[in-house]
């Protein structure tokens, strides 16, 4: 769909636009979330219908997520001990979310998304230790923390339903309940996002909604952005990551209210 013939009539500036927004989204999604607020409009500006843009965007999300996971893992920042316990409720929730998407209008989820992101912004501002645990805070396992299971399940439901903004929900579950620092939280968030995206992308491919050429160009920029994002995350202080997350939460909330 929308392959070489489509791009033969498109200005090279659009290709540069995809690379640029892909790079920016890769950095933003690696450090916080909300990068799709840049990539989806860019794809639609090029003339892709909303459903095709949504499906095509997942190519970049998957490639940046896999790149981020690999980068964090290479630096020993991907917690391996509890991986399956983290992924299981997320994936189970995504199944319910995908089923719900077939019956419930996405508009009904907007108030939930807005309240979640605004709530997270307030928590970061008023009680930052909830999202950015102090150094030395003991990490919890999903098995001994029911609220973590249900938080990850809720993130999976949301991700299976619409995905945009799921990074914020995952951060809340991983840092807020399991008490991972923001670097390890972002590593696990990228892994969960990759798992959710594989399932969603398979459905979109089956429905022939993916425009591969723009998706792969966007993905190339996203890969570079994720690499930069990992380096920034490893060098930045918890305080800097916390405030970047705060700003991106507000920005994403603003986009959600406008759309």
């Amino acid at each position: 769909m929308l392959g070489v013939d489509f791009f033969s009539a498109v200005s090279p500036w659009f290709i540069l636009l995809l690379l640029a927004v892909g790079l920016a989204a890769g950095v933003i999604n690696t450090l916080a979330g909300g990068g799709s607020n840049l990539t989806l409009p860019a794809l639609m500006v090029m003339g892709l219908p909303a459903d095709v843009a949504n499906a095509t965007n997942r190519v970049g999300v998957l490639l940046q997520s896999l790149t981020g996971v690999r980068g964090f893992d290479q630096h020993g920042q991907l917690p391996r001990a509890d991986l399956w316990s983290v992924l299981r409720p997320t994936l189970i929730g995504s199944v319910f979310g995908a089923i719900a998407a077939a019956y419930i209008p996405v508009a009904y989820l907007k108030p939930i998304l807005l309240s979640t992101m605004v709530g997270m912004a307030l928590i970061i501002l008023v009680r930052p230790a909830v999202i950015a645990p102090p150094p030395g805070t003991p990490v919890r396992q999903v098995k001994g923390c029911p609220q973590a299971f249900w938080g990850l399940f809720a993130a999976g439901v949301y991700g299976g339903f619409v995905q945009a903004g799921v990074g914020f929900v995952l951060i809340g579950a991983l840092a807020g309940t399991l008490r991972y620092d923001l670097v390890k939280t972002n590593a696990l968030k990228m892994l969960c996002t990759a798992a959710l995206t594989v399932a969603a992308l398979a459905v979109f491919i089956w429905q022939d909604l993916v425009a591969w050429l723009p998706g792969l160009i966007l993905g190339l920029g996203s890969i570079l952005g994720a690499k930069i994002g990992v380096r920034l995350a490893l060098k930045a202080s918890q305080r800097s990551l916390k405030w970047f997350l705060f700003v991106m939460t507000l920005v994403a909330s603003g986009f959600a209210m406008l759309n």
Side-chain angles (χ1 to χ4, degrees):
M1 172 177 288
L2 297 177
V4 175
D5 291 341
F6 175 77
F7 261 79
S8 64
V10 173
S11 165
W13 290 109
F14 278 112
I15 298 176
L16 292 176
L17 171 66
L18 284 181
L19 290 172
V21 297
L23 188 148
V27 174
I28 291 169
N29 285 335
T30 302
L31 295 174
S36 291
N37 289 322
L38 296 175
T39 54
L40 284 173
L43 289 167
M44 287 189 284
V45 162
M46 294 179 58
L48 272 64
D51 56 343
V52 176
N54 181 42
T56 302
N57 184 55
R58 307 300 176 100
V59 177
V61 171
L62 178 59
L63 291 175
Q64 73 189 232
S65 297
L66 293 174
T67 302
V69 169
R70 183 171 181 269
F72 283 120
D73 189 42
Q74 286 177 329
H75 290 88
Q77 295 297 321
L78 178 66
R80 290 176 170 269
D82 207 29
L83 282 184
W84 175 239
S85 295
V86 169
L87 283 173
R88 182 171 55 189
T90 308
L91 292 173
I92 293 172
S94 72
V95 174
F96 283 90
I99 294 172
Y103 299 98
I104 303 174
V106 175
Y108 283 102
L109 206 60
K110 183 176 178 179
I112 298 174
L113 171 61
L114 276 173
S115 61
T116 299
M117 290 193 294
V118 171
M120 177 174 285
L122 290 173
I123 289 171
I124 296 171
L125 193 61
V126 178
R127 297 188 61 190
V130 173
I131 296 297
T137 301
V139 173
R140 301 168 182 166
Q141 301 291 304
V142 175
K143 184 177 180 180
C145 188
Q147 60 265 43
F149 180 93
W150 292 112
L152 290 165
F153 176 82
V157 171
Y158 180 79
F161 198 106
V162 69
Q163 182 165 357
V166 70
F168 299 114
V169 184
L170 285 167
I171 288 173
L174 293 164
T177 62
L178 296 179
R179 313 306 287 151
Y180 286 106
D181 63 51
L182 282 176
V183 176
K184 290 183 174 62
T185 290
N186 278 318
L188 287 170
K189 177 200 71 182
M190 299 295 277
L191 180 65
C192 291
T193 302
L196 291 172
T197 306
V198 166
L201 192 56
V203 174
F204 290 134
I205 292 171
W206 174 59
Q207 295 178 332
D208 193 29
L209 288 172
V210 178
W212 284 106
L213 192 51
L216 291 172
I217 293 172
L218 182 68
L220 177 59
S222 296
I223 288 172
L224 296 174
K227 288 179 179 291
I228 294 171
V230 169
R231 292 180 183 178
L232 291 174
L234 294 172
K235 293 179 179 179
S237 65
Q238 287 290 297
R239 178 180 174 83
S240 298
L241 290 174
K242 177 192 69 177
W243 286 113
F244 183 79
L245 175 60
F246 174 71
V247 171
M248 290 312 305
T249 305
L250 293 181
V251 171
S253 300
F255 271 100
M257 285 188 286
L258 291 173
N259 296 325

